[in-house]
Amino acid sequence: MFRLPVCPHCHAIYRYGDARKSLNTKIHTCYHCKKQFKTSFSGLWILFLIAVVIGIFVNIFEMTAFSGTNVIALMITNIVLILFFLSFCVRFLQNSENSEQT
């Protein structure tokens, strides 16, 4: 479930940075085969649960290991965790218009 996305047509792998850049658009064009596809965020609720569990453990560690930890530092840590996992929940799906034409 948590893998980097691939093009549904030619199976070109999108790296972490490319997947993060593609979060804002719904329709993409593959850099390899130049075909269009759409973005799906399947597994986003699982991401939220994993981020909460990991965030709890990281926050407890931060509060016990560092004496000057405040709420802002904990929030920044949680945001970084969510942004890290978000790229692994992106999936690329074929457009229904493209699949009918080919």
Side-chain angles (χ1 to χ4, degrees):
M1 164 149 254
F2 292 109
R3 327 173 278 185
L4 290 173
V6 296
C7 173
H9 303 285
C10 68
H11 303 290
I13 298 173
Y14 279 74
R15 299 292 175 208
Y16 182 76
D18 297 329
R20 281 195 53 222
K21 290 177 189 173
S22 66
L23 294 176
N24 297 331
T25 56
K26 292 187 178 197
I27 305 264
H28 301 283
T29 302
C30 178
Y31 67 88
H32 186 258
C33 68
K34 306 297 185 225
K35 292 184 181 178
Q36 289 188 341
F37 50 86
K38 60 184 176 177
T39 303
S40 168
F41 292 101
S42 63
L44 205 54
W45 62 275
I46 295 174
L47 160 77
F48 180 72
L49 293 175
I50 290 172
V52 166
V53 170
I54 292 173
I56 289 171
F57 288 118
V58 169
N59 289 341
I60 290 172
F61 173 75
E62 277 186 82
M63 288 187 291
T64 57
F66 307 112
S67 61
T69 304
N70 57 13
V71 175
I72 295 173
L74 297 176
M75 287 174 46
I76 291 171
T77 304
N78 293 334
I79 290 171
V80 168
L81 281 172
I82 290 172
L83 290 177
F84 175 75
F85 282 111
L86 191 61
S87 293
F88 291 100
C89 289
V90 175
R91 293 288 165 257
F92 294 147
L93 307 172
Q94 289 184 359
N95 283 338
S96 58
E97 298 90 29
N98 285 348
S99 60
E100 292 172 3
Q101 291 174 356
T102 57

